[in-house]
Amino acid sequence: MVLTNVLVCATVLLVAATLLPMLQTTLWWVRALEFPRVQIVSLQALTFLAALGLGSQSGLVIMLVLAAAMALQILHIWPFSPLCAKEMQKAQPGAAQNQVTCLAINVLMENTNHAAVLAEIDRLDPDILFLMETDAAWNTAVTPALSGYPTVLREIKDNYYGLIFATRLKVRSARVTYLSVEDTPSVLAELEAPDGTPFRFVGLHPKPPVPGEDTEGRDAEVAYAARHARDTDLPVITMGDFNTPAWSQISHRFKAVGGYLDPRVGRGLLSSFDARRWWMRMPIDQFYATEDVSLISFQRGNFVGSDHFPMSAKIRFNDPDTARQLNRRVTALPDAEEARILQAIERQGSRLSQIIRPTTPPLL
């Protein structure tokens, strides 16, 4: 009887953790339940096996309820299984001058393993480098690695939301800006690939759902950035620590509104956080690209002492027709939902226009 009661309580909690994220709410504790889907389904499986040992009608009911809950969790995780069709098929590398390598690292502000981060930058030698959580100490530590980059933007902060953006590509414009009412800077840039093809880069690091921090600001920032893709015919790539997993509601909306593709789909989770605890890992550091971008490679980097793994991608822009043949279109949102999101984006733009923020001027 005691075991049965324990399993019933566990089942109720695990089912609630599965159903609550389906709600359309920005409450931090509800949105936080989207993160550990792999961990929750693992606990559900263990509880299912324990109920199997009961050999009673109560055990059968528990197993049936858990089976339904596991199916719902797996439905969210399944697109990121290697068994699922890929959204972005790999393209042939082609000439080296047509390739662009991008590297994003959340360095973790209190991480003192500067040498490991510098080694990763040296190993991958990216054309575009996006560092997050950079305070004054990190700015000093990585400055030698930035000497080969003609364009460097710095927004140095001691609140875990500093950033450094560096590129050796030709820059049409680049600026640090604020896409939410919170103190979380982003990077918007228009660059040229080595072959002269223009494209846009968006670097994001919004706040996570934590006690006292509902996700309204994060969701508005991510959705507002998605519009950066809609407002141009140029290819667009987006990188950063989104502080939301690849399967979350806002991730799906971001992709649909901006017309983005996710190279994780069909390749496996490539979980980037927590780098120090394997049982807590989930894919929250993202790379997205529009359908006219060809993917050459997408990979998780080496451990650098941070709680995040580096994420890198190698892409090319010179053959958009081939890219569209290799890439799978994002499923469009229902018209009513898309209209609601676009209205929220417009409201966010109005709020931002009323707030004066420090910003790095465009590089022309």
Side-chain angles (χ1 to χ4, degrees):
M1 179 62 71
V2 173
L3 178 59
T4 299
N5 290 337
V6 170
L7 292 178
V8 168
C9 291
T11 299
V12 169
L13 291 174
L14 291 169
V15 170
T18 300
L19 296 179
L20 284 171
M22 298 173 67
L23 299 175
Q24 302 292 323
T25 177
T26 61
L27 289 173
W28 73 266
W29 59 272
V30 175
R31 296 277 60 90
L33 291 172
E34 290 186 296
F35 284 66
R37 290 195 182 275
V38 174
Q39 290 77 11
I40 290 172
V41 78
S42 298
L43 291 174
Q44 288 170 338
L46 290 174
T47 308
F48 181 96
L49 292 175
L52 183 63
L54 289 178
S56 64
Q57 186 174 2
S58 297
L60 178 60
V61 172
I62 290 172
M63 287 189 292
L64 289 175
V65 172
L66 285 171
M70 284 190 286
L72 286 174
Q73 292 286 11
I74 292 170
L75 188 65
H76 288 88
I77 300 168
W78 174 253
F80 304 93
S81 162
L83 300 176
C84 188
K86 295 178 176 65
E87 273 190 358
M88 301 186 77
Q89 297 284 349
K90 283 187 178 180
Q92 294 299 318
Q97 63 267 26
N98 294 330
Q99 300 176 19
V100 173
T101 301
C102 310
L103 173 63
I105 311 177
N106 182 326
V107 298
L108 182 63
M109 195 172 72
E110 59 264 32
N111 176 20
T112 59
N113 196 350
H114 303 147
V117 171
L118 293 174
E120 191 72 352
I121 295 172
D122 182 65
R123 181 179 73 87
L124 294 171
D125 190 28
D127 301 293
I128 298 173
L129 175 64
F130 183 48
L131 303 177
M132 294 154 282
E133 293 201 19
T134 49
D135 59 1
W138 271 106
N139 182 43
T140 300
V142 301
T143 293
L146 304 179
S147 60
Y149 293 93
T151 299
V152 179
L153 300 181
R154 293 176 170 90
E155 192 80 347
I156 305 305
K157 292 179 172 290
D158 60 2
N159 65 352
Y160 294 92
Y161 292 97
L163 63 81
I164 294 175
F165 167 79
T167 182
R168 63 168 60 99
L169 301 177
K170 182 177 179 181
V171 176
R172 293 186 171 188
S173 65
R175 62 192 175 107
V176 174
T177 189
Y178 288 78
L179 300 180
S180 78
V181 296
E182 299 170 323
D183 197 19
T184 54
S186 304
V187 171
L188 301 179
E190 190 166 304
L191 312 172
E192 288 187 13
D195 64 358
T197 304
F199 68 96
R200 284 184 174 178
F201 173 88
V202 181
L204 295 178
H205 185 205
K207 289 185 175 180
V210 294
E213 292 283 353
D214 290 340
T215 65
E216 183 178 3
R218 180 201 67 180
D219 294 355
E221 181 175 348
V222 170
Y224 198 78
R227 195 180 71 170
H228 197 60
R230 287 183 70 96
D231 288 349
T232 182
D233 293 329
L234 297 179
V236 186
I237 58 173
T238 300
M239 294 190 82
D241 171 9
F242 273 48
N243 272 319
T244 188
W247 48 64
S248 69
Q249 285 184 8
I250 190 59
S251 292
H252 288 302
R253 291 171 186 166
F254 176 81
K255 290 174 61 182
V257 170
Y260 284 108
L261 300 168
D262 184 352
R264 270 192 176 93
V265 173
R267 285 195 167 83
L269 296 180
L270 290 171
S271 294
S272 57
F273 173 92
D274 185 330
R276 298 173 298 186
R277 295 179 292 178
W278 62 267
W279 63 91
M280 283 296 295
R281 287 182 188 168
M282 52 199 73
I284 69 172
D285 294 85
Q286 316 297 357
F287 173 83
Y288 295 123
T290 48
E291 64 175 356
D292 42 7
V293 177
S294 295
L295 179 73
I296 298 171
S297 67
F298 175 65
Q299 60 186 352
R300 187 176 70 184
N302 296 323
F303 178 68
V304 294
S306 172
D307 52 352
H308 291 252
F309 285 106
M311 299 301 297
S312 67
K314 187 173 291 187
I315 51 180
R316 58 184 174 88
F317 302 93
N318 63 315
D319 194 353
D321 292 334
T322 298
R324 291 187 180 95
Q325 292 173 12
L326 292 170
N327 297 335
R328 180 159 58 93
R329 294 296 300 272
V330 175
T331 303
L333 290 171
D335 290 344
E337 184 175 359
E338 182 170 0
R340 181 176 60 81
I341 294 171
L342 292 177
Q343 288 174 1
I345 291 172
E346 292 303 321
R347 289 196 300 271
Q348 178 70 0
S350 298
R351 285 196 295 267
L352 293 177
S353 67
Q354 299 171 16
I355 299 174
I356 299 176
R357 289 278 190 180
T359 183
T360 302
L363 301 176
L364 301 177

